[in-house]
Amino acid sequence: MKLYLIRHPRPDVKQGLCYGDMDVPLADGWEAGAAALKARLGINFDDASNACFHSPLIRAARLAEYISDARSHSVDALKELDFGQWEGLCWQDIPKAEIDSWASDIVHCAPYHGESLQVVANRVWAWWLSIRDLSMENCVVVAHSGVIKVFVSLLCQWPLEQCHRIDVGFTSVTEFVVLDDFVVLKRLGAGDWVSA
């Protein structure tokens, strides 16, 4: 199976805003990049061997519906990390002591009273295990930076505490080939599929 992890397009938010599982709209013009991505993927979602799954948050759902011709499946497990009390704040307005506390144990700590990275990893992995043995030629997942970083770390068996080092740009594609437990990373966070 080919597995494509795609990050949503750039949202329409003020720079520096902390938005995890907060629903935010897409910036104007996102459709141009979506059209380029859809053309490059070239996947026919009428074919039952191809599937698309997405986070229910609007910024991912709209892209998934666009590239799959409204044949994508919403999955709660693919939502971005819940930043709790930090949601909607600018990063510069979050007390440095709280950010330092989080940075000291990024996997388990959640000083914002939301989800830890480990909680996200657990829900993403449980979902993956529930669908990975389905007969799929192509599996497209449209989600968020945090979810994709966790997913890549788990698939590659990289330390979760280092997942922040993975660069996942807006509308970027990370591609794997998955054969049972054998996983090959083909592309990591590549944005060259999109012209806009």
Side-chain angles (χ1 to χ4, degrees):
M1 158 192 1
K2 286 187 179 176
L3 172 64
Y4 300 94
L5 307 179
I6 301 173
R7 187 179 179 194
H8 61 78
R10 182 178 306 282
D12 185 13
V13 296
K14 77 176 159 181
Q15 190 165 355
L17 186 74
C18 175
Y19 60 95
D21 77 343
M22 185 171 98
D23 234 343
V24 293
L26 290 174
D28 290 341
W30 68 272
E31 296 92 342
L37 176 61
K38 181 178 180 175
R40 287 292 301 268
L41 282 171
I43 297 173
N44 176 7
F45 290 98
D46 283 332
D47 183 334
S49 68
N50 300 319
C52 186
F53 303 93
H54 67 271
S55 158
L57 298 178
I58 272 199
R59 59 192 186 267
R62 291 195 67 195
L63 176 62
E65 292 296 316
Y66 186 96
I67 63 175
S68 72
D69 295 320
R71 289 175 179 80
S72 190
H73 308 278
S74 181
V75 177
D76 282 343
L78 298 175
K79 286 176 78 172
E80 182 61 288
L81 183 145
D82 175 4
F83 280 108
Q85 296 171 344
W86 291 0
E87 293 280 347
L89 298 177
C90 284
W91 285 100
Q92 67 186 23
D93 297 329
I94 298 169
K96 184 179 181 318
E98 290 181 24
I99 292 176
D100 290 345
S101 172
W102 181 44
S104 71
D105 183 5
I106 197 169
V107 175
H108 302 102
C109 190
Y112 37 81
H113 304 290
E115 293 178 304
S116 69
L117 200 57
Q118 187 64 62
V119 168
V120 175
N122 292 346
R123 68 173 153 83
V124 167
W125 196 246
W127 171 77
W128 171 245
L129 293 179
S130 76
I131 65 109
R132 73 174 179 176
D133 293 330
L134 298 176
S135 293
M136 288 184 279
E137 186 176 333
N138 294 290
C139 178
V140 175
V141 175
V142 182
H144 310 275
S145 177
V147 169
I148 293 170
K149 290 175 181 188
V150 162
F151 212 158
V152 169
S153 296
L154 294 170
L155 287 169
C156 293
Q157 299 180 10
W158 294 343
L160 199 53
E161 63 269 12
Q162 297 299 318
C163 76
H164 64 280
R165 297 176 184 272
I166 300 169
D167 185 18
V168 182
F170 294 113
T171 321
S172 66
V173 177
T174 297
E175 180 183 356
F176 287 91
V177 173
V178 180
L179 302 168
D180 299 318
D181 288 331
F182 184 70
V183 177
V184 177
L185 176 61
K186 303 289 280 184
R187 306 165 57 79
L188 179 58
D192 57 342
W193 283 26
V194 180
S195 60

